[in-house]
Amino acid sequence: MAEVLLFHSPYDDVTAWRARFARELQDIEIRVWPDIGARKEIAYAFVEGMPEGEFTGLENLKIIFSPGAGIDHLMRDPSLPRNVPITRNVQERMTLGMTQYVALHALRHHRHMPQYQEQQRRAQWREIAQPGAWERRAGVMGLGAIGLSAAQALAGIGFRTAGWSRGPHTHPDIECFHGTDGLGAFLARSDILVCILPLTPETEGIVNARTLGQLPEGASFINLGRGRHVVEEDLLAALDSGRLSHATLDVFRAEPLPASSTFWRHPRVTVTPHRAGNSNRLLLIDQAIENIGRLRAGRPLVNLADSRRGY
Ligand code: NDP
Protein backbone atom coordinates (compact mmCIF):
# COMPACT_ATOMS: atom_id res chain seq x y z
CA MET A 1 0.00 0.00 0.00
CA ALA A 2 1.24 3.48 -0.82
CA GLU A 3 2.47 5.70 1.98
CA VAL A 4 1.30 9.29 2.05
CA LEU A 5 3.41 12.44 2.36
CA LEU A 6 1.52 15.49 3.62
CA PHE A 7 2.68 18.69 1.91
CA HIS A 8 2.09 22.27 2.94
CA SER A 9 4.50 25.04 2.06
CA PRO A 10 4.02 28.58 0.83
CA TYR A 11 7.56 28.54 -0.64
CA ASP A 12 7.80 25.20 -2.47
CA ASP A 13 6.24 23.90 -5.67
CA VAL A 14 4.39 20.63 -5.16
CA THR A 15 4.69 19.76 -8.87
CA ALA A 16 8.49 19.53 -8.49
CA TRP A 17 7.99 17.23 -5.50
CA ARG A 18 5.49 15.03 -7.38
CA ALA A 19 7.78 14.78 -10.42
CA ARG A 20 10.79 13.70 -8.35
CA PHE A 21 8.83 11.22 -6.26
CA ALA A 22 7.24 9.77 -9.42
CA ARG A 23 10.79 9.07 -10.67
CA GLU A 24 12.38 7.85 -7.44
CA LEU A 25 9.78 6.75 -4.89
CA GLN A 26 6.63 5.72 -6.76
CA ASP A 27 5.03 4.15 -3.69
CA ILE A 28 4.61 7.56 -2.03
CA GLU A 29 1.52 9.60 -2.72
CA ILE A 30 1.77 13.34 -2.06
CA ARG A 31 -1.32 15.05 -0.66
CA VAL A 32 -1.51 18.79 -0.26
CA TRP A 33 -3.10 20.17 2.90
CA PRO A 34 -6.08 20.62 3.40
CA ASP A 35 -7.04 17.71 1.06
CA ILE A 36 -5.32 15.11 3.15
CA GLY A 37 -7.87 12.27 3.21
CA ALA A 38 -7.68 9.73 6.00
CA ARG A 39 -5.32 11.10 8.65
CA LYS A 40 -4.01 7.71 9.66
CA GLU A 41 -2.59 7.18 6.15
CA ILE A 42 -0.11 10.05 6.57
CA ALA A 43 3.43 8.69 7.09
CA TYR A 44 5.53 11.78 6.31
CA ALA A 45 4.96 15.52 6.59
CA PHE A 46 6.79 18.33 4.79
CA VAL A 47 5.09 21.31 6.33
CA GLU A 48 5.64 24.98 6.96
CA GLY A 49 2.93 27.48 7.83
CA MET A 50 0.24 24.83 8.29
CA PRO A 51 -2.49 25.99 10.73
CA GLU A 52 -1.93 24.88 14.31
CA GLY A 53 -3.66 21.72 15.47
CA GLU A 54 -3.31 19.89 12.15
CA PHE A 55 -0.97 17.18 13.47
CA THR A 56 -3.89 15.85 15.52
CA GLY A 57 -4.83 12.33 14.47
CA LEU A 58 -1.68 11.73 12.39
CA GLU A 59 -1.08 8.61 14.43
CA ASN A 60 1.16 6.85 11.90
CA LEU A 61 3.51 9.75 11.20
CA LYS A 62 7.13 8.57 10.85
CA ILE A 63 9.15 11.71 9.95
CA ILE A 64 8.44 15.44 9.90
CA PHE A 65 10.63 17.36 7.43
CA SER A 66 11.23 20.98 8.42
CA PRO A 67 11.88 23.16 5.34
CA GLY A 68 13.72 25.58 7.64
CA ALA A 69 17.05 25.23 9.42
CA GLY A 70 15.12 26.04 12.59
CA ILE A 71 12.20 23.98 13.85
CA ASP A 72 10.66 26.84 15.86
CA HIS A 73 7.75 27.09 13.40
CA LEU A 74 6.81 23.48 14.28
CA MET A 75 7.49 23.68 18.02
CA ARG A 76 4.87 26.41 18.38
CA ASP A 77 2.10 23.93 17.47
CA PRO A 78 0.68 22.17 20.56
CA SER A 79 -0.48 19.27 18.36
CA LEU A 80 3.10 18.46 17.24
CA PRO A 81 3.78 14.84 18.21
CA ARG A 82 6.90 14.84 20.43
CA ASN A 83 7.93 11.26 19.60
CA VAL A 84 8.20 11.67 15.81
CA PRO A 85 11.68 12.50 14.45
CA ILE A 86 12.07 15.95 12.88
CA THR A 87 14.72 16.60 10.26
CA ARG A 88 15.79 20.13 9.39
CA ASN A 89 17.32 21.94 6.44
CA VAL A 90 21.13 21.86 6.54
CA GLN A 91 22.95 22.86 3.34
CA GLU A 92 26.55 23.80 2.64
CA ARG A 93 25.28 26.45 0.26
CA MET A 94 23.17 28.03 3.00
CA THR A 95 25.99 27.85 5.55
CA LEU A 96 28.29 29.55 3.04
CA GLY A 97 25.71 32.25 2.29
CA MET A 98 25.17 32.95 5.98
CA THR A 99 28.93 33.02 6.57
CA GLN A 100 29.36 35.54 3.74
CA TYR A 101 26.60 37.68 5.22
CA VAL A 102 28.33 37.74 8.62
CA ALA A 103 31.75 38.51 7.12
CA LEU A 104 30.29 41.26 4.88
CA HIS A 105 28.44 43.04 7.67
CA ALA A 106 31.11 42.56 10.36
CA LEU A 107 33.63 44.14 7.96
CA ARG A 108 31.14 46.87 7.10
CA HIS A 109 30.79 47.74 10.78
CA HIS A 110 34.52 47.38 11.40
CA ARG A 111 35.48 49.62 8.46
CA HIS A 112 32.87 52.34 9.37
CA MET A 113 30.97 51.93 6.10
CA PRO A 114 27.60 53.20 7.44
CA GLN A 115 29.34 56.41 8.61
CA TYR A 116 31.27 56.80 5.32
CA GLN A 117 28.03 56.34 3.33
CA GLU A 118 26.43 59.06 5.42
CA GLN A 119 29.47 61.33 4.86
CA GLN A 120 29.27 60.67 1.11
CA ARG A 121 25.65 61.85 1.08
CA ARG A 122 26.93 65.14 2.55
CA ALA A 123 30.07 65.26 0.29
CA GLN A 124 32.15 65.21 3.44
CA TRP A 125 35.81 64.06 3.22
CA ARG A 126 36.64 63.02 6.77
CA GLU A 127 38.83 60.18 7.92
CA ILE A 128 37.64 57.99 10.82
CA ALA A 129 40.36 56.36 12.97
CA GLN A 130 40.59 52.72 11.92
CA PRO A 131 41.57 50.03 14.44
CA GLY A 132 43.08 46.79 13.12
CA ALA A 133 40.86 43.70 12.97
CA TRP A 134 43.01 42.15 15.72
CA GLU A 135 41.89 45.01 17.98
CA ARG A 136 38.22 44.25 17.33
CA ARG A 137 36.46 41.43 19.19
CA ALA A 138 33.71 39.53 17.39
CA GLY A 139 31.29 37.33 19.34
CA VAL A 140 29.01 34.76 17.71
CA MET A 141 25.95 33.50 19.63
CA GLY A 142 25.38 29.93 18.43
CA LEU A 143 28.19 27.64 17.37
CA GLY A 144 26.13 25.20 15.29
CA ALA A 145 26.36 24.32 11.60
CA ILE A 146 26.17 28.00 10.62
CA GLY A 147 27.56 29.82 13.68
CA LEU A 148 30.77 27.84 13.77
CA SER A 149 31.42 28.48 10.07
CA ALA A 150 30.78 32.21 10.58
CA ALA A 151 33.03 32.34 13.66
CA GLN A 152 35.83 30.59 11.77
CA ALA A 153 35.50 33.07 8.91
CA LEU A 154 35.67 36.04 11.32
CA ALA A 155 38.75 34.57 12.98
CA GLY A 156 40.25 34.05 9.50
CA ILE A 157 39.71 37.73 8.66
CA GLY A 158 41.67 38.61 11.78
CA PHE A 159 39.02 39.48 14.40
CA ARG A 160 39.57 38.22 17.91
CA THR A 161 36.64 35.84 17.86
CA ALA A 162 34.58 34.13 20.53
CA GLY A 163 31.51 31.93 20.38
CA TRP A 164 28.72 31.19 22.81
CA SER A 165 26.78 27.92 22.86
CA ARG A 166 24.54 25.90 25.16
CA GLY A 167 27.09 23.19 25.96
CA PRO A 168 30.90 23.43 26.03
CA HIS A 169 32.87 23.56 22.76
CA THR A 170 36.56 23.84 21.91
CA HIS A 171 37.71 25.16 18.54
CA PRO A 172 41.11 26.44 17.48
CA ASP A 173 41.22 30.26 17.17
CA ILE A 174 37.81 30.72 18.84
CA GLU A 175 37.43 31.55 22.51
CA CYS A 176 34.48 29.43 23.64
CA PHE A 177 31.88 30.40 26.25
CA HIS A 178 28.73 28.49 27.11
CA GLY A 179 25.57 28.51 29.17
CA THR A 180 23.93 31.32 31.09
CA ASP A 181 26.99 31.46 33.35
CA GLY A 182 29.25 32.23 30.38
CA LEU A 183 27.01 34.82 28.73
CA GLY A 184 28.07 37.94 30.69
CA ALA A 185 31.80 37.46 30.06
CA PHE A 186 31.14 36.65 26.39
CA LEU A 187 29.06 39.83 25.89
CA ALA A 188 31.53 42.03 27.76
CA ARG A 189 34.23 41.18 25.20
CA SER A 190 32.06 41.38 22.02
CA ASP A 191 32.53 44.59 20.00
CA ILE A 192 30.60 42.99 17.12
CA LEU A 193 27.83 40.71 18.35
CA VAL A 194 26.36 38.20 15.89
CA CYS A 195 23.21 36.19 16.65
CA ILE A 196 22.84 32.82 14.86
CA LEU A 197 20.86 31.02 17.53
CA PRO A 198 17.81 28.82 17.07
CA LEU A 199 14.62 30.24 18.54
CA THR A 200 13.66 28.32 21.70
CA PRO A 201 12.01 29.31 24.99
CA GLU A 202 15.54 29.89 26.37
CA THR A 203 16.72 32.13 23.53
CA GLU A 204 13.55 34.15 22.89
CA GLY A 205 14.19 37.81 23.81
CA ILE A 206 17.84 37.09 24.66
CA VAL A 207 18.94 40.37 23.06
CA ASN A 208 17.38 42.84 25.49
CA ALA A 209 18.21 45.92 27.56
CA ARG A 210 20.17 43.85 30.08
CA THR A 211 22.30 41.91 27.59
CA LEU A 212 22.80 44.91 25.28
CA GLY A 213 23.96 46.82 28.38
CA GLN A 214 26.68 44.22 28.92
CA LEU A 215 28.29 44.90 25.51
CA PRO A 216 31.21 47.32 25.24
CA GLU A 217 30.19 50.94 24.55
CA GLY A 218 29.75 51.50 20.78
CA ALA A 219 29.40 47.80 19.94
CA SER A 220 27.47 46.72 16.85
CA PHE A 221 24.97 43.92 16.32
CA ILE A 222 24.13 41.55 13.47
CA ASN A 223 21.00 39.38 13.71
CA LEU A 224 20.44 36.55 11.27
CA GLY A 225 18.87 34.11 13.75
CA ARG A 226 15.22 34.96 14.32
CA GLY A 227 13.42 38.26 14.97
CA ARG A 228 12.06 37.01 18.27
CA HIS A 229 15.58 36.75 19.70
CA VAL A 230 15.42 40.53 20.02
CA VAL A 231 13.32 42.81 22.23
CA GLU A 232 12.97 45.38 19.46
CA GLU A 233 12.18 48.39 21.71
CA ASP A 234 15.32 47.67 23.75
CA LEU A 235 17.42 47.46 20.60
CA LEU A 236 16.02 50.76 19.33
CA ALA A 237 16.70 52.42 22.70
CA ALA A 238 20.33 51.22 22.61
CA LEU A 239 20.71 52.56 19.05
CA ASP A 240 19.04 55.89 19.87
CA SER A 241 21.31 56.46 22.85
CA GLY A 242 24.40 55.68 20.73
CA ARG A 243 25.36 52.86 23.12
CA LEU A 244 25.08 50.60 20.08
CA SER A 245 26.71 52.05 16.96
CA HIS A 246 24.87 49.99 14.31
CA ALA A 247 22.56 47.02 13.85
CA THR A 248 22.26 44.89 10.72
CA LEU A 249 19.01 42.94 10.83
CA ASP A 250 17.92 40.15 8.47
CA VAL A 251 15.08 38.86 10.65
CA PHE A 252 12.22 40.57 12.47
CA ARG A 253 9.34 39.80 14.81
CA ALA A 254 6.92 40.72 12.00
CA GLU A 255 7.91 39.66 8.46
CA PRO A 256 7.63 41.22 5.95
CA LEU A 257 8.77 44.19 8.04
CA PRO A 258 5.81 46.64 8.04
CA ALA A 259 6.39 49.93 6.20
CA SER A 260 5.63 51.73 9.48
CA SER A 261 8.59 50.11 11.28
CA THR A 262 11.21 52.50 12.66
CA PHE A 263 13.91 50.06 11.54
CA TRP A 264 13.42 51.08 7.87
CA ARG A 265 14.35 54.69 8.57
CA HIS A 266 16.76 54.45 11.51
CA PRO A 267 20.16 55.92 10.56
CA ARG A 268 21.97 53.23 12.55
CA VAL A 269 20.11 50.24 11.08
CA THR A 270 20.64 48.14 7.95
CA VAL A 271 17.66 46.00 6.93
CA THR A 272 17.73 42.94 4.66
CA PRO A 273 14.61 40.84 3.89
CA HIS A 274 15.43 37.48 5.55
CA ARG A 275 17.75 36.50 2.72
CA ALA A 276 21.04 35.98 4.59
CA GLY A 277 20.91 32.25 3.89
CA ASN A 278 19.09 31.65 0.61
CA SER A 279 18.99 27.86 0.48
CA ASN A 280 18.26 25.74 -2.61
CA ARG A 281 14.67 24.64 -2.00
CA LEU A 282 14.93 21.77 -4.53
CA LEU A 283 17.56 20.13 -2.32
CA LEU A 284 14.81 19.70 0.29
CA ILE A 285 13.35 16.98 -1.99
CA ASP A 286 16.71 15.14 -2.00
CA GLN A 287 16.86 15.42 1.78
CA ALA A 288 13.37 13.93 2.17
CA ILE A 289 14.04 11.08 -0.27
CA GLU A 290 17.36 10.33 1.43
CA ASN A 291 15.78 10.16 4.88
CA ILE A 292 12.79 8.06 3.76
CA GLY A 293 15.32 5.61 2.24
CA ARG A 294 17.30 5.59 5.46
CA LEU A 295 14.23 4.98 7.60
CA ARG A 296 13.15 2.08 5.40
CA ALA A 297 16.64 0.57 5.53
CA GLY A 298 16.81 0.95 9.33
CA ARG A 299 19.69 3.45 9.04
CA PRO A 300 20.02 6.62 11.14
CA LEU A 301 18.37 9.76 9.73
CA VAL A 302 20.51 12.74 8.75
CA ASN A 303 20.04 16.37 9.84
CA LEU A 304 17.95 15.35 12.83
CA ALA A 305 16.71 18.07 15.15
CA ASP A 306 15.87 17.33 18.76
CA SER A 307 12.34 18.34 19.71
CA ARG A 308 13.19 18.13 23.45
CA ARG A 309 15.90 20.81 23.01
CA GLY A 310 13.81 22.67 20.43
CA TYR A 311 16.56 22.82 17.76
P1 NDP B 1 22.32 24.44 14.93
O1 NDP B 1 21.19 23.71 15.55
O2 NDP B 1 23.33 23.68 14.14
O3 NDP B 1 23.13 25.25 16.07
C1 NDP B 1 22.50 25.93 17.10
C2 NDP B 1 23.57 26.53 18.02
O4 NDP B 1 22.93 27.37 18.98
C3 NDP B 1 24.36 25.47 18.80
O5 NDP B 1 25.71 25.82 18.91
C4 NDP B 1 23.69 25.49 20.18
O6 NDP B 1 24.53 25.12 21.26
C5 NDP B 1 23.35 26.97 20.29
N1 NDP B 1 22.27 27.17 21.27
C6 NDP B 1 21.00 26.65 21.26
N2 NDP B 1 20.33 27.02 22.37
C7 NDP B 1 21.18 27.76 23.11
C8 NDP B 1 21.09 28.40 24.37
N3 NDP B 1 19.97 28.34 25.11
N4 NDP B 1 22.16 29.07 24.82
C9 NDP B 1 23.31 29.13 24.11
N5 NDP B 1 23.48 28.54 22.90
C10 NDP B 1 22.42 27.87 22.42
O7 NDP B 1 21.66 25.60 14.07
P2 NDP B 1 22.17 26.28 12.69
O8 NDP B 1 23.55 26.82 12.92
O9 NDP B 1 21.93 25.38 11.54
O10 NDP B 1 21.11 27.47 12.56
C11 NDP B 1 20.92 28.40 13.62
C12 NDP B 1 19.70 29.26 13.37
O11 NDP B 1 19.94 30.20 12.35
C13 NDP B 1 18.43 28.53 12.91
O12 NDP B 1 17.77 27.87 13.98
C14 NDP B 1 17.62 29.66 12.36
O13 NDP B 1 16.90 30.27 13.43
C15 NDP B 1 18.68 30.65 11.85
N6 NDP B 1 18.73 30.69 10.38
C16 NDP B 1 18.42 31.88 9.73
C17 NDP B 1 18.50 31.97 8.35
C18 NDP B 1 18.31 33.28 7.64
O14 NDP B 1 18.12 33.30 6.42
N7 NDP B 1 18.38 34.40 8.33
C19 NDP B 1 18.83 30.81 7.51
C20 NDP B 1 19.19 29.64 8.28
C21 NDP B 1 19.13 29.59 9.66
P3 NDP B 1 25.17 23.61 21.35
O15 NDP B 1 26.22 23.57 20.26
O16 NDP B 1 25.77 23.56 22.71
O17 NDP B 1 24.03 22.67 21.10
Side-chain angles (χ1 to χ4, degrees):
M1 198 176 93
E3 289 188 307
V4 177
L5 184 147
L6 170 62
F7 184 99
H8 182 275
S9 168
Y11 309 110
D12 297 277
D13 176 7
V14 73
T15 53
W17 278 71
R18 287 208 165 109
R20 275 294 297 288
F21 272 75
R23 276 206 312 275
E24 295 183 39
L25 273 182
Q26 292 88 353
D27 62 342
I28 300 233
E29 179 194 343
I30 297 182
R31 291 188 196 152
V32 180
W33 186 92
D35 298 322
I36 68 173
R39 289 181 167 262
K40 62 178 188 318
E41 289 170 6
I42 308 292
Y44 307 102
F46 175 84
V47 285
E48 181 163 17
M50 187 169 71
E52 281 186 8
E54 284 299 315
F55 285 105
T56 305
L58 305 187
E59 57 198 52
N60 293 315
L61 199 54
K62 297 177 182 170
I63 312 179
I64 299 166
F65 304 109
S66 166
I71 61 167
D72 45 296
H73 63 104
L74 296 168
M75 298 299 298
R76 277 196 292 274
D77 187 337
S79 72
L80 180 79
R82 300 294 151 148
N83 55 344
V84 175
I86 301 176
T87 63
R88 65 192 192 96
N89 183 5
V90 180
Q91 294 186 16
E92 274 175 32
R93 166 192 165 133
M94 180 162 65
T95 299
L96 183 61
M98 297 281 276
T99 300
Q100 289 169 345
Y101 186 95
V102 171
L104 168 70
H105 291 283
L107 280 171
R108 196 166 159 264
H109 295 185
H110 170 59
R111 299 299 297 259
H112 308 296
M113 283 313 295
Q115 294 93 317
Y116 282 131
Q117 278 170 331
E118 184 50 36
Q119 287 184 195
Q120 182 175 349
R121 263 191 288 278
R122 289 186 265 120
Q124 187 178 26
W125 183 278
R126 189 172 69 84
E127 200 180 313
I128 303 171
Q130 180 61 60
W134 56 94
E135 296 169 271
R136 195 82 84 176
R137 298 160 300 175
V140 180
M141 303 172 95
L143 282 179
I146 299 168
L148 178 59
S149 166
Q152 286 168 333
L154 293 176
I157 289 167
F159 294 116
R160 279 156 55 200
T161 303
W164 182 68
S165 52
R166 188 157 163 266
H169 283 234
T170 46
H171 301 290
D173 305 326
I174 298 169
E175 192 182 354
C176 293
F177 296 83
H178 71 276
T180 40
D181 290 350
L183 182 59
F186 164 80
L187 293 169
R189 50 78 60 220
S190 295
D191 298 312
I192 301 173
L193 180 69
V194 181
C195 176
I196 319 181
L197 287 167
L199 182 66
T200 67
E202 288 78 42
T203 64
E204 177 153 9
I206 196 160
V207 178
N208 55 44
R210 189 177 58 78
T211 50
L212 289 167
Q214 290 171 281
L215 293 170
E217 190 74 33
S220 65
F221 174 56
I222 300 170
N223 189 18
L224 60 167
R226 288 284 181 265
R228 281 161 64 188
H229 285 131
V230 175
V231 178
E232 293 183 339
E233 313 81 74
D234 292 359
L235 176 62
L236 282 167
L239 289 161
D240 286 341
S241 70
R243 184 150 216 308
L244 212 58
S245 58
H246 200 85
T248 293
L249 308 171
D250 186 52
V251 285
F252 302 87
R253 282 182 177 254
E255 293 181 10
L257 185 64
S260 59
S261 170
T262 312
F263 287 130
W264 285 116
R265 285 165 289 279
H266 201 289
R268 293 199 168 113
V269 174
T270 300
V271 169
T272 56
H274 201 145
R275 271 294 160 269
N278 199 14
S279 71
N280 177 352
R281 304 291 297 196
L282 293 176
L283 287 184
L284 296 169
I285 313 177
D286 297 353
Q287 293 176 4
I289 288 176
E290 162 80 18
N291 270 328
I292 292 172
R294 283 173 167 265
L295 184 87
R296 288 177 169 181
R299 291 162 57 215
L301 304 183
V302 289
N303 302 330
L304 261 184
D306 179 341
S307 59
R308 281 161 313 166
R309 289 184 322 190
Y311 67 95

